[in-house]
């Protein structure tokens, strides 16, 4: 029996990747959404290739799918609040039009996640003044999101200024919990800190959105040794779907359900679709969810 209030989705990133648009470009919207429905997921997040709301709503309705949210590149430190807020409002309008729940924000000033730099060393950091500017801006964005019926959830991410648990601590302390919630991404915090559960336990009552991403330990260690970039690491297969890597998601799911988490859990695994067949991995994740997570953790 599925836990009431938890919705299972899967990210389009296994089929097509916004950071590398050439990867999986042959997978059309109809193909991607139909695979998701076939694997019995309830919804997805918006990909960069998704069409305008009037077209997308029909495609979703035909397959019984919903939109959970969408990533937003924030440059509050670099550009200030005015231009960021204008772009943010436009994205919130689009998300409201498709009935989404969250807007996923990541501060991209100084980010190395899309560069050729070693993702395991030399991550950016922010000055005290930059932290103050960022957190004040996030509160403003969160207030704006609320006006559109959305929750702002902040995505800690490899290669950015908010990657580690210590950095998440500072973010949480300096932002309004009514306006800024946290996106928990198992894969990113594990690759960053070698621990996927401490962050979850600490902030479970402030988490507004979840990404379940697994990690292949041997490939992670090889990528770290080779000094690979983020793009190189995911193309090498560092990430995979839950149940196919090193992480024990039954513990994470138990923490969430015991805290009465309500919202989306999105299966997300940046992989090369030419190597990792997207539907095969979607079905693998679905079996793991049904046979391990839900079966072993009945509704509380």
């Amino acid at each position: 029996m599925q836990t009431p209030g938890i919705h299972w989705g899967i990210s389009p990133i296994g089929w097509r990747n916004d950071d590398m648009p050439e990867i999986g470009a042959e997978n059309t919207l109809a193909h991607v959404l139909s695979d998701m429905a076939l694997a019995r997921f309830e919804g997805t997040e918006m990909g960069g290739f998704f069409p305008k709301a009037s077209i997308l709503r029909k495609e979703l309705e035909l397959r019984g799918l919903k939109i959970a949210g969408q990533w937003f590149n924030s440059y509050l430190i670099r550009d200030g609040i005015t231009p960021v807020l204008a772009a943010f409002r436009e994205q919130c309008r689009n998300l409201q039009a498709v009935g989404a729940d969250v807007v996923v924000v990541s501060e991209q000033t100084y980010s190395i996640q899309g560069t050729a730099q070693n993702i395991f060393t030399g991550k950016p950091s922010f000055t005290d003044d930059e932290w103050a500017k960022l957190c004040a801006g996030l509160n403003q964005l969160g207030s704006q999101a609320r006006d559109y019926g959305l929750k702002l959830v902040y995505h800690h991410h490899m290669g950015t200024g908010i990657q580690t648990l210590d950095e998440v601590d500072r973010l949480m302390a300096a932002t309004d919990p009514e306006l800024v919630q946290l996106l928990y991404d198992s894969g990113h915090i594990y690759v960053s800190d070698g621990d996927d559960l401490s962050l979850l336990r600490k902030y479970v009552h402030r988490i507004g959105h979840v990404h379940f991403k697994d990690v292949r330990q041997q490939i992670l260690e090889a990528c770290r040794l080779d000094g690979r970039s983020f793009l190189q690491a995911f193309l090498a297969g560092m990430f995979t779907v839950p149940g196919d890597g090193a992480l024990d998601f039954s513990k994470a799911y138990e923490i969430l359900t015991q805290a009465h988490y309500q919202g989306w859990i999105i299966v997300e695994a940046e992989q090369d679709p030419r190597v990792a067949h997207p539907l095969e991995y979607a079905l693998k994740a679905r079996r793991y969810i049904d046979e391990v997570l839900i079966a072993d953790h009945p509704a509380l």
Side-chain angles (χ1 to χ4, degrees):
M1 179 179 178
Q2 184 162 326
T3 302
I6 290 181
H7 304 288
W8 290 96
I10 189 166
S11 172
I13 207 165
W15 286 262
R16 293 178 63 163
N17 194 295
D18 288 348
D19 291 329
M20 301 181 73
E22 68 276 13
I23 298 296
E26 69 279 3
N27 292 320
T28 66
L29 176 73
H31 178 171
V32 174
L33 295 181
S34 294
D35 277 1
M36 292 173 175
L38 181 61
R40 296 184 294 108
F41 285 96
E42 297 172 68
T44 187
E45 293 179 343
M46 293 272 280
F49 63 97
F50 280 33
K52 60 185 180 181
S54 58
I55 297 172
L56 180 59
R57 283 196 302 266
K58 185 66 173 179
E59 296 298 325
L60 294 167
E61 179 185 342
L62 289 169
R63 297 166 177 84
L65 297 172
K66 297 179 180 179
I67 293 294
Q70 185 179 17
W71 173 281
F72 177 79
N73 284 321
S74 168
Y75 291 93
L76 286 163
I77 292 172
R78 187 190 72 184
D79 298 341
I81 187 62
T82 301
V84 173
L85 189 55
F88 187 75
R89 285 194 185 109
E90 179 63 24
Q91 185 154 319
C92 286
R93 281 192 288 270
N94 292 335
L95 287 171
Q96 184 184 52
V98 294
D101 296 310
V102 303
V103 55
V104 177
V105 174
S106 174
E107 179 63 27
Q108 290 295 295
T109 300
Y110 313 133
S111 172
I112 65 169
Q113 71 184 67
T115 74
Q117 291 181 250
N118 183 341
I119 197 65
F120 303 100
T121 61
K123 67 171 294 299
S125 59
F126 303 143
T127 66
D128 289 346
D129 286 345
E130 288 171 337
W131 269 104
K133 186 176 183 180
L134 171 62
C135 292
L138 287 172
N139 284 336
Q140 288 184 258
L141 295 184
S143 178
Q144 188 68 78
R146 188 166 60 180
D147 289 344
Y148 287 92
L150 299 164
K151 293 184 296 186
L152 185 156
V153 292
Y154 192 91
H155 194 329
H156 56 94
H157 200 286
M158 287 294 298
T160 72
I162 302 178
Q163 170 186 301
T164 67
L165 177 54
D166 286 345
E167 290 158 347
V168 170
D169 284 341
R170 186 165 183 176
L171 175 73
M172 295 290 95
T175 52
D176 185 339
E178 297 298 318
L179 301 174
V180 178
Q181 296 188 44
L182 184 65
L183 184 157
Y184 167 70
D185 188 299
S186 57
H188 279 277
I189 196 62
Y190 182 78
V191 172
S192 171
D193 291 15
D195 174 4
D196 60 307
L197 296 178
S198 292
L199 182 150
L200 178 60
R201 289 192 179 100
K202 190 170 187 176
Y203 292 109
V204 67
H205 294 292
R206 198 165 167 183
I207 288 168
H209 198 55
V210 173
H211 285 172
F212 271 5
K213 180 191 280 102
D214 212 338
V215 177
R216 295 184 176 100
Q217 187 69 35
Q218 288 185 327
I219 296 178
L220 165 61
E221 292 169 0
C223 288
R224 195 189 305 274
L225 185 64
D226 292 343
R228 297 204 175 193
S229 71
F230 183 72
L231 301 181
Q232 289 171 333
F234 90 67
L235 287 174
M238 182 172 73
F239 293 127
T240 185
V241 299
D244 192 49
L247 305 189
D248 180 0
F249 288 88
S250 63
K251 294 180 180 178
Y253 189 63
E254 182 176 5
I255 293 168
L256 289 165
T257 54
Q258 288 183 344
H260 304 290
Y261 171 75
Q262 304 277 290
W264 288 91
I265 299 178
I266 303 292
V267 169
E268 186 184 60
E270 295 98 325
Q271 298 195 84
D272 185 344
R274 297 167 299 188
V275 177
H277 192 287
L279 179 56
E280 177 184 357
Y281 278 82
L283 291 168
K284 182 179 293 190
R286 184 72 251 186
R287 284 193 299 271
Y288 178 77
I289 291 165
D290 292 342
E291 297 173 8
V292 177
L293 300 186
I294 295 175
D296 289 352
H297 297 86
L300 298 178

